[in-house]
Amino acid sequence: MDAIMRNRLKYTEPDYSQDWEYTTNSTATLVTKYIGTNTVVITPNKIKRRPVVLQNSSDSYSGVFTNNKNITSITFSDGITFTNNSMAYTFSNCTSLTQAPEKPNSVTSMADTFRICTNLTQAPNIPNSVTSMAGTFFYCTNLTQAPVIPNSVTSMAHTFYICYNLKQAPNIPNSVTNMAYTFYSCAN
């Protein structure tokens, strides 16, 4: 056996079960919840030698990071994707989150992604693939800077709802057809 083959046989993957709840099939690893205690989190791009897919949520209770009060910063490793290309409620009620991660270019929905992230001050870049930003920054009370809104976005209902520290409204592209309560209670 040559040295390269011996090194491959010696490889031991980290035990991700200490930090992540997940299931693995023949093509991917579906991560359903972060259960670790780190405040600065980097998502693995592979678990069990399969690409990681983060599960989104249809409500504000069951996203991968939803309701985690400890996380301050998250970095997505290259290759991370989301089920149905949706980040719905992914960070909802992560009240300690101060730094938002860059999103995968495959994401089309950011509905309620940062809902009630009260310590988030600066919005992340929004990929050109996103069509829904409904409620994206809902009740992000310390948000001061809005992102550039891509021309692909059609829904911005409640996007900056009760973001009363927002300093300046972003330019709204002509593609947006729903702006119900977009800037409700934005005093500045």
Side-chain angles (χ1 to χ4, degrees):
M1 194 180 306
D2 64 7
I4 293 173
M5 183 58 90
R6 280 193 303 275
N7 284 337
R8 284 185 185 162
L9 293 174
K10 289 180 185 177
Y11 172 76
T12 303
E13 184 174 81
D15 181 8
Y16 290 112
S17 66
Q18 302 296 314
D19 293 326
W20 306 94
E21 290 180 357
Y22 58 87
T23 57
T24 301
N25 64 24
S26 62
T27 60
T29 297
L30 178 66
V31 173
T32 55
K33 196 73 175 168
Y34 176 73
I35 55 173
T37 57
N38 294 326
T39 59
V40 176
V41 177
I42 300 173
T43 60
N45 61 356
K46 288 188 178 183
I47 296 177
K48 303 282 185 186
R49 298 187 184 199
R50 309 269 187 310
V52 167
V53 177
L54 298 178
Q55 181 174 315
N56 66 328
S57 177
S58 59
D59 58 48
S60 60
Y61 304 103
S62 59
V64 174
F65 302 101
T66 302
N67 296 315
N68 186 307
K69 309 278 193 218
N70 298 319
I71 296 173
T72 59
S73 173
I74 298 169
T75 302
F76 292 138
S77 296
D78 289 341
I80 292 292
T81 58
F82 285 84
T83 54
N84 302 317
N85 295 320
S86 173
M87 289 183 70
Y89 296 100
T90 300
F91 304 107
S92 178
N93 206 25
C94 289
T95 54
S96 295
L97 187 68
T98 57
Q99 181 183 342
E102 293 299 318
K103 270 39 86 258
N105 288 329
S106 59
V107 170
T108 57
S109 175
M110 289 185 63
D112 296 292
T113 299
F114 298 104
R115 181 184 185 93
I116 314 174
C117 290
T118 53
N119 279 305
L120 188 65
T121 57
Q122 185 171 351
N125 293 327
I126 308 297
N128 289 328
S129 55
V130 172
T131 58
S132 177
M133 288 183 64
T136 300
F137 301 104
F138 183 100
Y139 206 79
C140 289
T141 54
N142 283 309
L143 187 71
T144 59
Q145 293 185 315
V148 172
I149 310 298
N151 289 326
S152 55
V153 173
T154 58
S155 178
M156 287 185 64
H158 300 95
T159 299
F160 299 104
Y161 190 95
I162 311 179
C163 292
Y164 47 75
N165 282 307
L166 190 65
K167 301 284 185 226
Q168 183 176 352
N171 291 327
I172 308 298
N174 292 334
S175 58
V176 175
T177 57
N178 184 352
M179 287 189 61
Y181 298 100
T182 298
F183 297 103
Y184 180 83
S185 280
C186 292
N188 292 323

